[in-house]
Amino acid sequence: MAEKMSFIVFSGSADKLQAAATMVSGAAAMGVETHLFLTFWGLNAFRKDMVGQPLPMSSEAGDMAEMMGKLMMEKGVPPWSSVLADAIDIGDVHVHACAMTMDLMDMPKEALVDVVEDVIGVGRFIELSAGGSVVFI
């Protein structure tokens, strides 16, 4: 089993953020050091004014998007932001914002939720993820 996992969170869709948060939670519960690198739409979802807002499903959901949203509500699936916060509380989880995306979107770090630890470049993320598994979402 990997002792370290890193997630590149590119998508800002509800289903992919939910999947990322769930995988991070599982890794954290198993004692795996975990890093999230938020870039493009994934970073945008971590803006203070976006967290808690309804997000679209990914295009892969297609005709099932509405049904999946209803099922998640009916079954009481906690929102991705809550799952991630719990993972951070129980494990060695680190959330990093992509410096290039921050510059591209003229986004100050103060616009992001507090779970984002720092703003780093790709080189630093590669250093942090070395020796572990990397998942692109």
Side-chain angles (χ1 to χ4, degrees):
M1 180 174 66
E3 295 179 11
K4 184 186 326 183
M5 291 190 73
S6 299
F7 295 83
I8 301 167
V9 183
F10 176 85
S11 174
S13 67
D15 52 335
K16 290 187 178 183
L17 289 167
Q18 193 73 40
T22 301
M23 288 190 284
V24 168
S25 178
M30 296 176 71
V32 176
E33 177 185 341
T34 306
H35 294 270
L36 282 84
F37 184 69
L38 311 172
T39 189
F40 285 86
W41 315 124
L43 177 62
N44 195 51
F46 279 74
R47 287 185 1 218
K48 289 177 181 172
D49 61 340
M50 291 294 291
V51 172
Q53 298 296 316
L55 296 172
M57 293 284 190
S58 65
S59 60
E60 290 95 331
D63 294 340
M64 297 181 66
E66 187 176 335
M67 179 192 72
M68 289 302 291
K70 284 182 181 176
L71 285 173
M72 290 172 71
M73 288 184 62
E74 288 173 9
K75 296 190 181 238
V77 175
W80 65 267
S81 56
S82 176
V83 174
L84 181 59
D86 289 346
I88 291 169
D89 285 346
I90 65 167
D92 189 12
V93 177
H94 306 276
V95 182
H96 314 281
C98 171
M100 192 239 4
T101 303
M102 298 279 293
D103 287 344
L104 183 67
M105 295 184 174
D106 290 325
M107 187 184 305
K109 181 166 183 313
E110 294 76 29
L112 300 172
V113 292
D114 292 339
V115 299
V116 179
E117 288 180 15
D118 53 11
V119 179
I120 64 173
V122 170
R124 178 68 181 135
F125 175 71
I126 290 170
E127 289 174 354
L128 290 170
S129 61
S133 301
V134 178
V135 177
F136 185 89
I137 298 177

